[in-house]
Amino acid sequence: MSSWMVSVAVAVVVGLAIAAVLMTSLRRTVLVPPDAANVAKAPAVFSRAQVATHDQPDDAWIIVAGKVYDITTYIDDHPGGSAIMNNLGQDNTKAVLEGPQHPETVPTILGMYHIGRLEDD
């Protein structure tokens, strides 16, 4: 094999490796909102008991400041890892809004996952 063919082969392999890294990085930065079809079927007002039934990684809702969020598709992208699963199906207002680890972008990110509000207690 000639040296130029080796150079081309190396360039292709390096290019593919860079593309794979970029795609992985992009996957981590693009947030996927909940399935629109499921949100459209959901009522706009939820009881605490209804939210509490969504307490698994494959069906994860939380309450923050009286609003209900379906964060199922966000769990894998959470920068804090599995800590997000500590209080699924529960009120997370204090942890989310007062946690010093959370950036100012949290309300914007949460907005993508908003599916309704908590009914009045």
Side-chain angles (χ1 to χ4, degrees):
M1 185 183 284
S2 68
S3 64
W4 72 268
M5 291 178 83
V6 171
S7 296
V8 169
V10 168
V12 168
V13 170
V14 169
L16 290 173
I18 290 171
V21 169
L22 290 175
M23 292 302 290
T24 301
S25 176
L26 181 61
R27 165 68 179 107
R28 284 286 177 207
T29 59
V30 176
L31 303 176
V32 180
D35 181 2
N38 290 337
V39 172
K41 295 176 191 173
V45 180
F46 303 96
S47 68
R48 286 186 187 275
Q50 284 175 301
V51 175
T53 66
H54 301 274
D55 62 350
Q56 300 298 313
D58 63 345
D59 182 21
W61 292 11
I62 60 171
I63 301 165
V64 177
K67 294 181 179 179
V68 179
Y69 301 90
D70 178 349
I71 60 166
T72 306
T73 59
Y74 179 68
I75 287 177
D76 289 338
D77 296 318
H78 183 248
S82 64
I84 196 169
M85 294 188 283
N86 291 343
N87 298 306
L88 298 179
Q90 301 176 38
D91 193 317
N92 285 261
T93 302
K94 186 172 182 173
V96 171
L97 299 181
E98 297 176 18
Q101 74 280 13
H102 290 132
E104 294 176 5
T105 56
V106 167
T108 302
I109 293 169
L110 271 178
M112 295 174 57
Y113 301 92
H114 181 243
I115 59 169
R117 67 176 178 82
L118 195 61
E119 70 182 4
D120 297 332
D121 291 324

